[in-house]
Amino acid sequence: MAPYCVLAARLRHALNSGVRRYHVAPVLCQRAKVAMSHFEPNEYINYEKLEKNINIVRKRLDRPLTLSEKIVYGHLDDPAKQEIERGKTYLRLRPDRVAMQDATAQMAMLQFISSGLPKVAVPSTIHCDHLIEAQAGGEKDLQRAKDINQEVYNFLSTAGAKYGVGFWKPGSGIIHQIILENYSYPGVMLIGTDSHTPNGGGLGGICIGVGGADAVDVMAGIPWELKCPKVIGVKLTGKLSGWTSPKDVILKVAGILTVKGGTGAIIEYHGPGVDSISCTGMATICNMGAEIGATTSIFPYNDRMKKYLGKTGRADIATLADEFKQHLVPDSGCQYDQVIEINLSELKPHINGPFTPDLAHPVSDIGAVAEKEGWPVDIRVGLIGSCTNSSYEDMGRSAAVAKQALAHGLKCKSKFTITPGSEQIRATIERDGYAKILREVGGLVLANACGPCIGQWDRKDIKKGEKNTIVTSYNRNFTGRNDANPETHAFVTSPEIVTALSIAGTLKFNPETDYLTGADGKKFKLEAPDADELPKLEFDPGQDTYQYPPKDGSGQHVDVSPTSQRLQLLEPFDKWDGKDLEDMLILIKVKGKCTTDHISAAGPWLKFRGHLDNISNNLLIGAINIENGKANSVRNALTQEFGPVPDTARYYKKMGVKWAVVGDENYGEGSSREHAALEPRHLGGRVIITKSFARIHETNLKKQGLLPLTFADPADYNKIHPVDKLSIVGLKDFAPGKPLKCIIKHPNGSQETIMLNHTFNESQIEWFQAGSALNRMKELQQKSS
């Protein structure tokens, strides 16, 4: 579609060449209105406002801007007055849209219902991808999920209809692939209730993972708060080739920055190497930026994005983005807080793990490392797909590897599963023959859903406690994440490497140099895979799985049965009583890594994501107690008996005793799941004290009225013992930047005082005082009415 100014110019030229003269209305010189998505034809991209805000901020700061700064500052609520300092000030932002996956959408919509508002203020969607368990294969697993989760799906469907939220039915695909195909675009600011929302950065958007309470703020039309991110630049030179894939870029970056190296920062990729990466490859890199704690990740707008937009039916967005391209790339001379340089021509295929996504190894080394460390080298299962690597290109490259093995009479030695990222991907790889090849090599095609990546895997080939190795193209490999077995050694790599290793059946195989033996006894070497980044024909959309919200949903009824075991309406948390928190017991002092999987496990617990009391029975059951080195075994300070963490918390709550948790580094790493904050609050927790927090979890704790505090001196972690009592002093004078005192009372009667830092601003202090951010929202609504 040509811009209106071009059309107007042509019209003037034609008319001026004739005798008659016509007036061309000024409105024709306005740029064309382009919808954000064809599912929302009346919601338009507003690059003019982005441009206006950028110009205001550029004049104020008087310096070149990074791309991420342009888009973030371009969405400021008040660009003229907002204080802006990277890593320090809190920004008030106006995101363009919200996306929620079904496991987190339940609590987000329950909170929105509690707000009393009639309709969402920005375009919002719900995506049913988390509740489908991998068991027998795609169609059977999908039908089983629909039967088991009918109550939850009905709730989400009717809540979406009532409050104006689009609903993607089960089987549609994984939220992040759906967003990339339909909703992300260059310059968008999107927040999603899933930590891998940054996937949309592959299309040049600022897409940030948040908890449900943050989503409620945006859906309620309230400015959303985010600490002004630092910007880490990753300069890419050279060109990807051979077995090296986009996944290897982020696996390398994870090895450099570690799981917390990106905390508080946006990772901005730039440089000449960017153009050698497909749009979906860029999305893969941005997606797994969550594993290094980054706020989000982003790539500059380029022709690869333009090509993808065109292929997914959004050429009009690409045309509009071309007009505003100067705002969709970084300024020349912009400054980054840190710069990493990677030569793609020298980058080798990587495989990271086990048990943490930042333990990076070249594929060529992993066999020897595994033997040295005592990790099983035989691969039991290879799994490709997930929100990170389930694009058409990913499936094509895996099929290219499989096709070579089949030509030599080989199939996978390991079990092999394939998860399409969306119904569109599934239908297209079926049409183009990729799915057939992957089945022939021994693969099982699963439903279009998250599946084993998030622990939704009814695994039968091993017993719990059996030591084994799996390789995946997923993003996370925390202990027990995929199959609830703490002895499963999970490694993450690219889909094509997973396929090659599954054919060989061992970590000791390096496809770049090693040979396989065909069915005829002859040796052969796999060639590096080559596949189209996009289908030659148009994408096959497959089945229609989208439910539009009605224009008026006010008459829609939303069912939540008072006897339901899956859903529970929320009661407001109690307000702060105006006093210091004195003599709190320590529920648990956590030793080592404590992710959101440790705090609020997924897998079989996903079915309770809409029922706060039921899901609270998994509180901290995976965390290691420093007192005895065990999981889910803590001392009850009132009875002196050891028991499960949730039971102990419930006992304290029953007795009216406040309690705290003491944690280690990067506490709350991983998922955006706010249940890891809701559960301790529901069971009587008041304070979480750690050496450091993961960004999303710290915000989630604040939103629910808890106090996330950090040791001013990390060594003070060693001064607190599980049998101590803690008092937080100074809450009456609670203020931004002002440390709080913690008095540690030891059982022998002695005590000592340590200092605790916090990152609360004024409005977040009001959340604490009101009992939660939702309580504070209601207070403000009552005042305004």
Side-chain angles (χ1 to χ4, degrees):
M1 180 189 297
Y4 280 177
C5 284
V6 175
L7 294 175
R10 290 174 181 169
L11 183 58
R12 283 199 183 93
H13 176 76
L15 294 176
N16 286 339
S17 62
V19 177
R20 297 180 66 185
R21 296 290 185 266
Y22 292 89
H23 173 68
V24 179
V27 72
L28 285 177
C29 279
Q30 294 178 0
R31 291 180 168 108
K33 285 186 175 182
V34 175
M36 282 196 265
S37 168
H38 66 267
F39 291 106
E40 297 144 358
N42 298 317
E43 299 285 351
Y44 302 111
I45 295 173
N46 195 345
Y47 280 148
E48 286 88 352
K49 182 178 180 181
L50 184 77
E51 181 177 58
K52 179 181 177 182
N53 285 3
I54 290 171
N55 289 336
I56 292 171
V57 174
R58 189 194 305 281
K59 185 175 180 180
R60 288 182 55 202
L61 298 182
D62 192 26
R63 61 171 173 79
L65 300 177
T66 67
L67 168 60
S68 49
E69 286 184 304
K70 288 181 180 181
I71 302 176
V72 171
Y73 304 160
H75 286 83
L76 286 170
D77 182 51
D78 187 353
K81 296 179 182 178
Q82 171 70 59
E83 187 179 356
I84 300 171
E85 187 175 357
R86 286 186 195 169
K88 292 189 177 180
T89 57
Y90 277 87
L91 307 178
R92 291 166 60 83
L93 301 163
R94 292 284 185 178
D96 297 302
R97 63 180 311 117
V98 171
M100 300 167 281
Q101 42 95 334
D102 50 357
T104 51
Q106 295 171 64
M107 195 57 67
M109 292 309 295
L110 286 166
Q111 290 178 86
F112 189 81
I113 291 170
S114 295
S115 75
L117 296 169
K119 191 174 182 179
V120 296
V122 300
S124 304
T125 51
I126 293 169
H127 304 258
C128 295
D129 62 358
H130 271 57
L131 300 179
I132 303 169
E133 185 179 50
Q135 191 179 72
E139 292 184 8
K140 290 181 180 179
D141 293 345
L142 177 58
Q143 187 55 54
R144 180 170 173 266
K146 288 179 178 178
D147 293 340
I148 293 172
N149 302 305
Q150 181 179 7
E151 179 186 15
V152 171
Y153 292 148
N154 178 63
F155 166 73
L156 293 174
S157 172
T158 55
K162 184 173 183 64
Y163 297 106
V165 179
F167 180 69
W168 287 86
K169 301 172 187 176
S172 301
I174 305 173
I175 176 173
H176 311 301
Q177 184 68 29
I178 298 290
I179 288 171
L180 198 72
E181 293 172 352
N182 299 283
Y183 297 115
S184 185
Y185 60 83
V188 70
M189 174 171 275
L190 178 152
I191 70 165
T193 60
D194 190 281
S195 57
H196 292 104
T197 301
N199 191 81
L203 255 179
I206 289 291
C207 303
I208 302 175
V210 299
D214 277 334
V216 171
D217 280 354
V218 179
M219 291 191 292
I222 297 172
W224 174 59
E225 290 193 351
L226 175 73
K227 181 178 278 191
C228 186
K230 294 183 178 181
V231 188
I232 297 174
V234 178
K235 184 178 181 181
L236 302 179
T237 60
K239 183 178 180 180
L240 286 177
S241 63
W243 284 93
T244 307
S245 73
K247 185 67 164 279
D248 298 307
V249 177
I250 185 58
L251 294 176
K252 178 71 173 179
V253 172
I256 295 169
L257 288 177
T258 77
V259 290
K260 65 173 186 175
T263 303
I266 293 176
I267 311 298
E268 184 171 312
Y269 294 87
H270 63 284
V274 166
D275 293 333
S276 75
I277 305 173
S278 66
C279 178
T280 52
M282 290 186 269
T284 290
I285 294 168
C286 291
N287 175 294
M288 204 174 153
E291 274 35 89
I292 55 176
T295 301
T296 192
S297 301
I298 191 170
F299 277 83
Y301 177 58
N302 66 1
D303 286 341
R304 305 299 278 268
M305 295 182 191
K306 183 175 182 177
K307 187 177 179 181
Y308 183 80
L309 285 167
K311 205 65 171 179
T312 52
R314 295 175 288 170
D316 53 345
I317 293 180
T319 299
L320 189 64
D322 284 341
E323 291 186 58
F324 288 87
K325 187 172 182 179
Q326 62 175 321
H327 303 304
L328 305 175
V329 297
D331 287 342
S332 176
C334 66
Q335 296 296 309
Y336 298 101
D337 294 283
Q338 179 183 351
V339 176
I340 297 168
E341 187 165 338
I342 297 175
N343 185 339
L344 300 179
S345 299
E346 298 174 354
L347 184 64
K348 289 292 186 180
H350 274 62
I351 182 168
N352 287 22
F355 306 125
T356 183
D358 60 346
L359 186 56
H361 320 274
V363 171
S364 57
D365 296 345
I366 189 60
V369 173
E371 286 190 323
K372 179 183 177 182
E373 297 293 336
W375 304 332
V377 295
D378 292 336
I379 298 168
R380 297 296 290 268
V381 190
L383 307 99
I384 66 169
S386 83
C387 64
T388 314
N389 279 110
S390 55
S391 68
Y392 184 82
E393 181 183 33
D394 289 327
M395 296 298 164
R397 284 173 69 88
S398 292
V401 175
K403 191 174 182 179
Q404 295 178 61
L406 290 169
H408 289 84
L410 295 187
K411 292 190 175 185
C412 291
K413 287 186 179 179
S414 310
K415 289 182 180 293
F416 186 50
T417 69
I418 302 99
T419 306
S422 68
E423 170 61 9
Q424 178 168 275
I425 294 296
R426 183 208 62 78
T428 306
I429 66 171
E430 289 285 1
R431 181 196 70 192
D432 293 354
Y434 290 166
K436 182 175 183 290
I437 292 170
L438 294 170
R439 286 192 186 97
E440 287 178 350
V441 84
L444 174 67
V445 178
L446 302 174
N448 314 322
C450 300
C453 182
I454 59 161
Q456 285 285 55
W457 184 14
D458 185 19
R459 189 178 181 189
K460 301 293 189 183
D461 63 300
I462 62 161
K463 296 179 180 179
K464 190 169 183 178
E466 182 179 343
K467 197 173 181 180
N468 75 104
T469 283
I470 64 173
V471 292
T472 81
S473 70
Y474 302 164
N475 40 53
R476 290 195 177 131
N477 55 352
F478 303 144
T479 302
R481 176 176 173 86
N482 303 121
D483 60 3
N485 179 12
E487 289 301 324
T488 293
H489 294 56
F491 296 84
V492 292
T493 185
S494 67
E496 51 265 49
I497 294 293
V498 171
T499 307
L501 293 178
S502 298
I503 292 166
T506 175
L507 288 177
K508 297 171 71 174
F509 178 70
N510 177 9
E512 288 191 302
T513 59
D514 295 344
Y515 287 78
L516 295 168
T517 302
D520 58 3
K522 295 180 180 179
K523 300 278 188 181
F524 74 97
K525 192 158 80 74
L526 294 170
E527 298 296 325
D530 186 30
D532 295 329
E533 64 179 278
L534 295 166
K536 289 183 173 63
L537 302 174
E538 297 304 310
F539 276 108
D540 183 339
Q543 299 179 40
D544 182 8
T545 55
Y546 180 71
Q547 173 186 293
Y548 288 85
K551 290 183 179 180
D552 181 7
S554 59
Q556 175 70 55
H557 181 68
V558 180
D559 286 328
V560 179
S561 169
T563 59
S564 172
Q565 294 301 301
R566 298 289 301 270
L567 298 164
Q568 181 185 47
L569 293 174
L570 298 174
E571 296 291 334
F573 290 130
D574 59 306
K575 291 185 64 171
W576 175 56
D577 61 9
K579 301 176 182 178
D580 288 335
L581 296 168
E582 296 183 348
D583 293 333
M584 290 181 294
L585 300 179
I586 298 171
L587 178 65
I588 183 173
K589 181 180 179 182
V590 178
K591 178 183 179 182
K593 184 186 283 283
C594 189
T595 71
T596 47
D597 278 357
H598 294 87
I599 304 168
S600 176
W605 292 95
L606 283 171
K607 62 179 173 285
F608 296 126
R609 285 286 181 87
H611 197 294
L612 179 54
D613 194 56
N614 281 346
I615 199 169
S616 293
N617 288 322
N618 75 1
L619 174 65
L620 286 158
I621 61 176
I624 301 302
N625 179 10
I626 199 170
E627 185 175 6
N628 57 12
K630 295 180 180 180
N632 203 25
S633 175
V634 295
R635 183 195 301 272
N636 184 320
L638 301 181
T639 67
Q640 297 304 310
E641 296 177 354
F642 278 85
V645 182
D647 293 358
T648 307
R650 287 187 186 278
Y651 186 83
Y652 291 163
K653 180 180 181 180
K654 179 182 177 182
M655 302 303 292
V657 176
K658 297 180 176 67
W659 51 263
V661 170
V662 178
D664 212 316
E665 294 277 8
N666 207 34
Y667 185 89
E669 171 193 343
S671 172
S672 70
R673 69 193 67 158
E674 64 181 342
H675 299 78
L678 282 159
E679 291 175 34
R681 183 72 165 95
H682 174 64
L683 295 185
R686 288 295 182 267
V687 179
I688 314 292
I689 305 172
T690 72
K691 294 180 182 177
S692 62
F693 286 98
R695 174 191 64 85
I696 302 177
H697 186 60
E698 181 179 18
T699 301
N700 286 345
L701 291 168
K702 292 177 183 179
K703 286 279 184 178
Q704 303 306 334
L706 283 146
L707 281 176
L709 306 171
T710 57
F711 296 103
D713 180 357
D716 287 344
Y717 168 87
N718 299 316
K719 293 181 178 179
I720 298 178
H721 305 288
V723 293
D724 294 337
K725 291 183 179 180
L726 305 178
S727 295
I728 305 300
V729 178
L731 290 176
K732 292 180 180 179
D733 300 316
F734 195 15
K738 186 176 181 180
L740 293 168
K741 290 182 180 179
C742 175
I743 299 173
I744 308 169
K745 297 181 180 179
H746 302 298
N748 63 8
S750 65
Q751 63 182 46
E752 53 189 315
T753 300
I754 61 174
M755 301 304 295
L756 301 174
N757 293 330
H758 65 86
T759 59
F760 281 80
N761 62 17
E762 290 181 358
S763 62
Q764 292 168 354
I765 290 173
E766 291 176 356
W767 299 345
F768 167 72
Q769 293 170 340
S772 71
L774 185 59
N775 287 0
R776 181 57 179 160
M777 181 198 299
K778 291 179 179 178
E779 287 180 355
L780 294 174
Q781 287 174 350
Q782 290 170 356
K783 288 181 180 178
S784 65
S785 62

